[in-house]
Structures are given as structure tokens and as C-alpha cells.
Amino acid sequence: MRADRALLGLHAAGATLALAAALVWPRPGQAALLVPLGTGDARAPIAWAVQENAPLLALDTSRGRVIARVTDNAGLLRALGQGILPLAVRAPGCGADLRS
């Protein structure tokens, strides 16, 4: 009985993690808030955006907020490797149905 509960808990944790990742993981072409892990310094996300040729959509160096358009999933994995957490965001001008 104890092993059944542990297995059920493991499956629930995996499903929760997958749902959270699906909600916050940006897709190619979508805007992403680049959150530097460990420091609030915006230099690392800016350097990543330049390295990946990801266009900057919003830049607020006083609060360390950088929003860039994601080019591909491999770049997002490289961002994680550099200590930058990419979170999907809605930024003005990113939608397909822009209204004049």
C-alpha cells in the first residue's frame, strides 16, 4: 500500500511539473521574460539575446527585466545552462492579430 501511494505521488508530481512547464515554457517566435537566476543583473540575459540573435522587445535595466523574442528551443536550453530562466510572456506587438 505504501509503494502505491509513493508511485501515485510521483505521477502527480510529474503531471504537475509537465503542466507548469507547458504554461510557462515559451515557444519559438514567442516573447520570453529572461530571469537571471542568482543575480538580478540584466547583463547575462542581454548577452544571451545578442548571442542567440533574439530581438529585444523590452529592456528595463533598473529592475533587471529583459524581454526577448525566442528564436528556437535549443537557445532556451542554452539559456538555462547559463543560469537564465525563460518564462513565456505576452508583450505588445507579439501577437499575430495586430490591430491598427
Side-chain angles (χ1 to χ4, degrees), residues 20-21 23-27 30-37 45 48 66-89:
L23 293 174
V24 301
W25 190 257
R27 286 142 185 85
Q30 188 178 11
L33 173 64
L34 305 173
V35 179
L37 301 175
W48 174 85
V66 177
I67 298 177
R69 187 178 311 275
V70 175
T71 55
D72 60 4
N73 282 325
L76 293 174
L77 294 175
R78 286 189 289 273
L80 286 174
Q82 294 177 8
I84 301 167
L85 179 64
L87 300 173
V89 296

Side-chain angles (χ1 to χ4, degrees), residues 12-67:
T16 302
L17 181 62
L19 179 61
L23 293 174
V24 301
W25 190 257
R27 286 142 185 85
Q30 188 178 11
L33 173 64
L34 305 173
V35 179
L37 301 175
T39 65
D41 191 12
R43 286 181 286 185
I46 293 171
W48 174 85
V50 169
Q51 173 186 347
E52 296 293 328
N53 294 324
L56 293 174
L57 302 174
L59 180 62
D60 182 2
T61 55
S62 65
R63 296 191 306 182
R65 180 178 294 173
V66 177
I67 298 177

